[in-house]
Amino acid sequence: MLGQMMQQPLLISSLLVHAERHHGEREIVSRRVEGDIHRYTYRELAARARRMANALTGLGLAMSERVATLAWNGYRHLELYYAVSGSGAVLHTLNPRLHPEQIVYIADHAEDQVLFFDLSFLPLIAAVAGRTKTVRHWVAMCARAHLPADAAGIPGLLCYEDLIEANHDRYDWPVFDENSASSLCYTSGTTGNPKGVLYSHRSTLLHTYAAALPDALNCSANDAILPVVPMFHVNAWGLPYVGCMTGAKLVFPGPALDGKSLYELFESEQVTVSAGVPTVWQGLLAHVQANGLKFSSMKRTVIGGSACPPAMLRTFGDEFGVHVLHAWGMTEMSPLGTVCSLKPRHLQMDAQARYAVMSKQGRAVYGVDMKIVDESGAELPFGSETSGELLVRGPWIVDQYFKGEGGNPLRVDAAGHGWFPTGDVATIDADGYMHITDRSKDVIKSGGEWIGSIDLENIAMAHPAVAMAACIAAHHPKWDERPLLVVVKKPGAEVTKAELLAFFEGKVAKWWVPDDVAFVDAIPLGATGKMQKNRLREQFKDYALPTA
């Protein structure tokens, strides 16, 4: 017997319809590439998105064809989020931090038909425009007054605001299968070509519901959300969709992601929630500490993308009264997998014990199932102190990569369930809190025993002289591999190797303490702000550890 409820597909356009109808007056604020501050409402967003949907129809876009963007966080990019997916096409957010060769490869692989771009990326567009195979239309996201006179050699360059003005806002969002593709993101893998992850309307809506929950990102109409995480990085972790679902004020920082610019926007717009990777927050904290500043409205920030150093958790909490939600996910997971929301008993703990819990990546949000397995594939119980490979499944987790790249990525268990192997090594405690101890490719195996590089990096980052730290495996004649700590010192700070190594005493087992420290000017970061340990391993492949 089937239930007798209405069958209404879960479509991204419904988020915009809801926001316009119930939160039409709520403000969306953007710092533009042009340098000024732009303000309008959800009602105006909806009207302009409908105009752009009509423009896409006029450009000949068919159902499921891909529309690419190379853009910062801003209101025009938000309009494309809804106009493209809502009209039945697929939004493909390109990462402008990639090399032009990678941009060309990804655009060709996706078969992008239209490419919208912010003017700050004009040199990048000029470098790739003559080399892509499928792009038929290039659109500069600006008004005609800002359109470059010579079009930088880009054939048939169109103007975004011209398209908006040439089309009316009467548009009925089409109704189609909720399993239809909605957006496309490519992994930022450090080996091989990036692989595409194709999200559906259904997966995106379910992810949005879960992300907004109180024990997840805890968003409501009373919030002002500033996503520092780029809209080209896994759809800004879903926050542009959460904004429409909840009616929260949205604040977009544009290209100005330095500490001073972010702080000014936080204060002027009374931001309550933000989200970004640790490297961004380092710059913000450095600015507020150097200038004796405080946050007047910010209540919490979501930190993900890579492990949040415990020292950063404590700085935000103890010095500034900002609660950190440590989160974890992947492009293949839309991306949200876990959030470190505390349970009632954790609130009764002393600060040190509470921060120890908060340093974990947290518990699974509803919709995500996870487990850890040993080297033989046997599942390890929650509460085991043994690390294992982390596997996940759920309705917004990838089933296969776009165009079948790399074959079937899933592992099928005895019950016939497919699990996605994350590549992370983790533990899960008795309360279900997951703690990543390493990436499988970054694990240091010394004398047959694993050493977690993330734990060592977090300890190093707590030293007052350390700005950034990475721990990698270096060859050892006896133990095969031993930890090498690579450190960037804070400006003007001084610390010796011996002092840093002594800092580990009593914090980890003696055999975990790094054998040596290498000081560098900078640690290479990838397109999403993650440390590129593969490049460090290549740089230090011949490093001679002290053996005495």
Side-chain angles (χ1 to χ4, degrees):
M1 180 183 293
L2 297 177
Q4 296 177 322
M5 310 305 289
M6 290 184 181
Q7 290 295 311
Q8 184 172 334
L10 300 174
L11 300 176
I12 285 173
S13 58
S14 68
L15 293 170
L16 189 58
V17 170
H18 173 80
E20 180 181 23
R21 185 172 295 161
H22 299 287
H23 304 283
E25 78 294 341
R26 195 65 160 132
E27 199 173 32
I28 300 168
V29 180
S30 304
R31 178 180 278 129
R32 303 201 302 177
V33 170
E34 294 91 327
D36 60 342
I37 298 293
H38 176 273
R39 300 176 184 274
Y40 73 172
T41 64
Y42 277 112
R43 187 172 293 112
E44 292 168 290
L45 162 67
R48 282 173 58 92
R50 291 193 296 270
R51 286 176 180 267
M52 182 51 67
N54 279 318
L56 293 172
T57 300
L59 292 176
L61 261 291
M63 182 78 179
S64 295
E65 286 191 316
R66 271 71 72 197
V67 176
T69 62
L70 267 169
W72 297 108
N73 292 12
Y75 70 101
R76 291 182 179 122
H77 206 174
L78 185 65
E79 290 162 7
L80 291 170
Y81 262 56
Y82 289 99
V84 175
S85 298
S87 63
V90 177
L91 178 76
H92 173 207
T93 52
L94 282 161
N95 188 333
R97 294 170 180 159
L98 296 175
H99 189 274
E101 295 289 342
Q102 293 174 300
I103 297 286
V104 171
Y105 170 82
I106 293 172
D108 286 346
H109 189 268
E111 300 178 61
D112 293 327
Q113 302 296 306
V114 184
L115 197 154
F116 290 82
F117 64 93
D118 274 333
L119 284 181
S120 51
F121 303 123
L122 187 61
L124 179 56
I125 293 296
V128 304
R131 300 166 58 192
T132 57
K133 298 174 183 176
T134 61
V135 178
R136 295 183 282 123
H137 303 286
W138 304 85
V139 185
M141 295 168 67
C142 64
R144 177 151 293 276
H146 292 95
L147 200 68
D150 62 357
I154 302 168
L157 182 62
L158 299 174
C159 172
Y160 187 96
E161 293 298 331
D162 284 355
L163 292 176
I164 292 286
E165 293 172 11
N167 288 275
H168 55 74
D169 67 358
R170 298 182 302 279
Y171 183 87
D172 293 326
W173 297 109
V175 177
F176 41 79
D177 190 329
E178 64 182 12
N179 293 297
S180 299
S182 62
S183 60
L184 176 64
C185 291
Y186 279 72
T187 63
S188 57
T190 54
T191 57
N193 288 321
K195 295 187 286 290
V197 181
L198 191 61
Y199 311 116
S200 69
H201 285 258
R202 178 178 184 270
S203 72
T204 301
L205 264 290
L206 292 175
H207 180 270
T208 305
Y209 273 117
L213 286 171
D215 268 0
L217 307 188
N218 190 21
C219 298
S220 78
N222 296 311
D223 281 312
I225 304 172
L226 190 155
V228 180
V229 55
M231 293 172 74
F232 54 75
H233 183 199
V234 208
N235 295 334
W237 300 350
L239 289 172
Y241 304 120
V242 169
C244 273
M245 179 175 279
T246 63
K249 175 180 178 179
L250 286 174
V251 183
F252 292 118
L257 302 179
D258 60 283
K260 181 176 184 294
S261 298
L262 286 175
Y263 179 79
E264 290 173 353
L265 210 50
F266 282 143
E267 292 302 300
S268 64
E269 302 304 326
Q270 290 295 282
V271 170
T272 61
V273 184
S274 191
V277 299
T279 48
V280 170
W281 301 127
Q282 285 178 337
L284 176 67
L285 289 173
H287 172 73
V288 294
Q289 288 174 319
N291 293 279
L293 303 172
K294 297 292 183 183
F295 297 103
S296 64
S297 60
M298 191 150 92
K299 301 174 183 175
R300 62 194 182 280
T301 186
V302 184
I303 299 182
S306 57
C308 176
M312 185 176 288
L313 286 172
R314 291 191 293 271
T315 299
F316 264 121
D318 295 343
E319 291 189 36
F320 300 104
V322 176
H323 180 70
V324 170
L325 287 169
H326 202 183
W328 168 85
M330 305 176 68
T331 302
E332 289 89 343
M333 299 177 66
S334 300
L336 194 60
T338 65
V339 180
C340 198
S341 295
L342 299 177
K343 291 185 175 182
R345 70 180 189 85
H346 298 137
L347 302 178
Q348 309 306 317
M349 294 177 170
D350 61 42
Q352 183 175 352
R354 192 167 62 251
Y355 279 130
V357 175
M358 292 170 63
S359 67
K360 299 181 179 183
Q361 278 69 27
R363 48 195 168 102
V365 298
Y366 174 77
V368 173
D369 195 8
M370 62 184 183
K371 66 178 180 179
I372 54 173
V373 297
D374 63 19
E375 291 180 341
S376 68
E379 183 174 354
L380 298 171
F382 282 21
S384 169
E385 295 183 2
T386 304
S387 295
E389 185 181 10
L390 180 63
L391 308 181
V392 293
R393 65 179 183 138
W396 56 79
I397 295 172
V398 70
D399 179 65
Q400 58 183 304
Y401 289 107
F402 185 49
K403 295 185 176 180
E405 291 291 328
N408 184 359
L410 304 186
R411 303 232 191 110
V412 179
D413 62 17
H417 299 137
W419 294 80
F420 179 76
T422 65
D424 284 316
V425 178
T427 60
I428 303 178
D429 69 19
D431 289 324
Y433 283 74
M434 186 269 290
H435 180 213
I436 292 175
T437 56
D438 228 321
R439 292 286 292 168
S440 57
K441 61 190 177 186
D442 294 335
V443 163
I444 302 166
K445 205 159 191 180
S446 178
E449 299 289 340
W450 282 0
I451 295 176
S453 66
I454 294 175
D455 289 336
L456 299 181
E457 289 161 1
N458 286 337
I459 292 170
M461 287 287 291
H463 193 284
V466 174
M468 189 174 294
C471 195
I472 60 173
H475 175 70
H476 191 279
K478 180 179 180 181
W479 303 111
D480 190 27
E481 293 180 343
R482 289 294 299 158
L484 170 65
L485 190 67
V486 184
V487 168
V488 178
K489 290 183 283 191
K490 289 181 179 177
E494 289 299 330
V495 62
T496 66
K497 290 183 180 183
E499 288 169 341
L500 262 184
L501 295 178
F503 191 67
F504 285 86
E505 291 180 9
K507 299 181 176 71
V508 292
K510 287 185 177 181
W511 65 276
W512 271 46
V513 176
D515 280 26
D516 203 3
V517 179
F519 293 106
V520 295
D521 293 331
I523 290 174
L525 301 178
T528 57
K530 297 179 183 178
M531 292 187 294
Q532 292 188 308
K533 291 190 181 180
N534 61 320
R535 290 177 58 185
L536 284 178
R537 285 192 290 268
E538 177 63 25
Q539 180 180 345
F540 290 96
K541 65 181 180 181
D542 299 321
Y543 192 87
L545 290 171
T547 56

